[in-house]
Amino acid sequence: MKKMKALIVAAAALSLSALLLAGCGGAPANDKKAEDKAPAKEEKTTLVVGLDNAYPPYGFIGDDGNLTGFDIDLATEVAERNGWDLELEAIDWDAKDALLNQGTINCIWNGFTMEGREGKYAFSKPYMHNEQVVVVKADSGIDSLEGLAGKNVMTQVDSAALDVLEDEEGQKALADTFAGGAAQTIGDYNNAFMQLESGTVDAVACDLSIADYQMAAKPDMFVKLEPLSTENYAVGFAKDGDQAMVDAVNKTLKEMYDDGTIAELCEKWGEYGITIDNWVLVD
């Protein structure tokens, strides 16, 4: 019994010694020094892309419920090659400038026309040729722009097509002949084409790629008229934004063209009207 008590006392003494040593701060002090010496972790760059999620084939919601599209594939590859995180933000297209200037998004990458907007954004180099066109039903009897006189023509709000139709040096004179003296506007092109198909409107003014996508989906339903204008797509950043990011996007897109990635993506989206023939960022 005495031996047992002696062992218990000895064990208690050892435990107390250990606690006292720990209280003196030997190990924690070393940990503190290690923390002080550890370098701060670098914050990873994030590419936050603002887009219209009803703008096929550049950005739209696929059958699986996820965002997809040609421009999304481009942005994904550019972000990966630069070691950036990527965030895709479906936005109200009307609010794009405010979101960009607030820093909620840091670029607009979504079949974004640069002509006429050069003073408002810091653009990447143009990467894709585009046109503004008018689509009508194949059985409409309309075969020229002049045939739109007195017709209901619809386009997307704040779109490049609307800009052309409101521009005195563009096609405003043509738009003045439309029913109501101007083009009607709607929030997205998918609904515009639904109205065209149902006969609610007579024509839709839109980007060439949108027209080609809709015509590829319903080849016997729609035809397009001659172009309203020709232009280019580019990635739009805030005017006083991150020039290093703009330069990196230009450099990476060029590398993707050189190594055949762009050709592969154009082939992937070929059935939606995308073609390597319209790619312009080659230098």
Side-chain angles (χ1 to χ4, degrees):
M1 193 68 179
K2 285 180 181 178
K3 285 182 180 178
M4 181 63 72
K5 284 181 179 178
L7 287 170
I8 291 170
V9 170
L14 285 171
S15 297
L16 181 59
S17 297
L19 286 169
L20 288 171
L21 283 170
C24 290
N30 289 336
D31 289 346
K32 177 101 172 48
K33 285 178 184 175
E35 285 174 10
D36 290 343
K37 290 178 182 176
K41 285 187 179 178
E42 253 184 64
E43 192 173 334
K44 199 169 184 182
T45 298
T46 301
L47 179 66
V48 187
V49 175
L51 57 96
D52 174 357
N53 67 1
Y55 200 75
Y58 286 88
F60 62 103
I61 298 173
D63 294 336
D64 59 0
N66 295 319
L67 283 168
T68 187
F70 180 71
D71 274 349
I72 289 175
D73 281 354
L74 291 181
T76 300
E77 183 70 15
V78 166
E80 184 176 331
R81 292 191 185 203
N82 284 281
W84 301 336
D85 286 332
L86 176 67
E87 291 181 14
L88 302 172
E89 292 289 340
I91 61 173
D92 177 351
W93 198 244
D94 253 351
K96 62 185 181 299
D97 293 345
L99 294 171
L100 191 62
N101 292 329
Q102 290 163 5
T104 305
I105 58 175
N106 54 26
C107 73
I108 301 165
W109 197 336
N110 192 210
F112 194 44
T113 299
M114 67 182 297
E115 280 79 6
R117 292 169 168 154
E118 293 91 341
K120 295 176 66 176
Y121 305 90
F123 278 106
S124 71
K125 291 181 179 179
Y127 63 89
M128 185 69 83
H129 171 77
N130 185 46
E131 295 174 345
Q132 295 303 321
V133 299
V134 176
V135 177
V136 297
K137 291 179 74 172
D139 60 359
S140 68
I142 302 171
D143 58 8
S144 68
L145 295 178
E146 290 74 20
L148 297 172
K151 304 297 184 183
N152 291 301
V153 180
M154 180 170 278
T155 191
Q156 187 181 42
V157 64
D158 200 27
S159 64
L162 183 61
D163 289 344
V164 170
L165 291 169
E166 291 182 337
D167 187 353
E168 294 282 358
E169 297 180 4
Q171 295 283 3
K172 187 177 184 305
L174 173 67
D176 288 345
T177 70
F178 298 165
Q184 301 174 31
T185 57
I186 196 168
D188 66 81
Y189 278 122
N190 284 341
N191 281 318
F193 274 90
M194 287 174 62
Q195 293 205 32
L196 177 59
E197 186 172 350
S198 70
T200 306
V201 298
D202 301 298
V204 172
C206 62
D207 294 79
L208 173 64
S209 55
I210 302 297
D212 286 346
Y213 168 75
Q214 295 289 345
M215 291 171 62
K218 296 183 177 179
D220 299 324
M221 177 70 66
F222 305 122
V223 294
K224 66 179 179 241
L225 308 180
E226 64 264 35
L228 294 167
S229 66
T230 60
E231 60 202 25
N232 292 285
Y233 285 157
V235 186
F237 294 82
K239 188 171 175 59
D240 299 316
D242 187 347
Q243 186 59 44
M245 181 173 274
V246 180
D247 294 341
V249 168
N250 287 331
K251 180 174 179 290
T252 308
L253 287 176
K254 172 62 167 56
E255 290 171 351
M256 289 165 60
Y257 173 78
D258 290 342
D259 66 22
T261 302
I262 297 301
E264 290 174 7
L265 291 177
C266 288
E267 185 175 353
K268 172 184 174 181
W269 292 100
E271 63 182 292
Y272 293 86
I274 299 290
T275 170
I276 190 67
D277 294 338
N278 287 337
W279 185 265
V280 296
L281 204 169
V282 296
D283 295 320

